[in-house]
Amino acid sequence: MKQVMDYVEMKIPAKPEYVGVIRLTISGIASRMGYTYEEIEDIKIAVSEACTNAVQHAYPENVAGEVIIGFGIYEDKLETMVADSGQSFNFLQTKEELGPYTESSTVDQLTEGGLGLYLIETLMDEVRVLNRSGVTVFMVKYLGEERENHDKATSDRETN
Amino acid sequence: MKVNIEKHEDDKEIYVSVSGEIDAYTAPKLREELLPLTEGKNNVITVNLKDVSYLDSTGLGVFVGMFKQLNKNDGELKLVELSDRLKRLFNITGLSHIMSISDNAEDVGR
């Protein structure tokens, strides 16, 4: 497996007005990596949906929370994690904890996450969701030809 | 990041032009301005999305809400001048099969 080449992490208040800031950031990162306009727009929506879910569902009203967004920048792909536990995470370790890919529970996820999670799964090449002291959404978009070798919308939900 | 809404109506229809980005932050404002228009009986609302540069599921949710409310009140919702990006979202979510959307302002057929 290729190691992370670069890693960028951001922490935002769990407020909807900051979701647009993450879109600007990921747009910059993806553009620098060489994704096409269409791909960048897809990534923006997927990451935005994950942030929106965290902002809207993670914390009770009037409780200040935080959302962590981690960008793993590889030669051939962009891995993005969105976590609402409020803790910074060890990107590689959290990635390992996400477990193996399976293709189960897509329908369940639809009812739980609604259109947002459905869009994430449709627009990204790999998606995994971890429910453990908060929710972590992990999504991958491959650069160029690479993505053809991977199943669309691989997903898995683990609950501990 | 903001959303702007312009409304005008004649004796037949209500026209709304939306511009800007529709996401979790701006969707509540959009919903607040547009949902009251769907309350009346037989209202026909045309929403022009030409200048919407970004839309996600929260934006789709606003239009689904309008669509359902208008259907209940025997009204009609037409979404016009959708960019390829926006059309793509309505297509992959399956909403394009149930809602009237068009990339052309004149042609509002399905």
Side-chain angles (χ1 to χ4, degrees), chain A residues 16-17 19-20 23 37-38 41-42 44-45 48-49 52 56 115-116 118-119 122-123, chain B residues 1 21 23-25 53-58 60-61 64 84-85 88-89 92-93 95:
Chain A
E17 51 265 53
V19 176
R23 276 204 299 282
Y37 166 79
E38 288 293 322
E41 291 301 308
D42 285 355
K44 273 165 70 178
I45 290 174
S48 203
E49 296 288 354
T52 298
Q56 292 185 333
L115 279 182
Y118 174 73
L119 280 178
T122 308
L123 299 175
Chain B
M1 183 184 57
E21 299 187 12
D23 71 355
Y25 181 54
S53 57
Y54 177 85
L55 177 96
D56 60 22
S57 70
T58 49
L60 292 174
V64 169
D84 286 346
R85 280 301 309 172
R88 173 166 155 76
L89 283 179
I92 61 183
T93 53
L95 291 173

Side-chain angles (χ1 to χ4, degrees), chain A residues 3-8 32 71-75 78 91:
Chain A
Q3 284 293 304
V4 176
M5 293 185 65
D6 286 312
Y7 177 66
V8 176
R32 197 199 59 74
F71 307 100
I73 300 154
Y74 295 76
E75 209 174 302
L78 174 61
F91 181 81

Side-chain angles (χ1 to χ4, degrees), chain A residues 6 8 13 24 39 50 90 93 130 136 142 147 154 156 158:
Chain A
D6 286 312
V8 176
L24 286 172
E39 287 168 336
N90 181 321
Q93 190 192 321
L130 178 72
T136 302
Y142 286 90
R147 69 177 178 281
T154 306
D156 180 28
E158 290 180 18

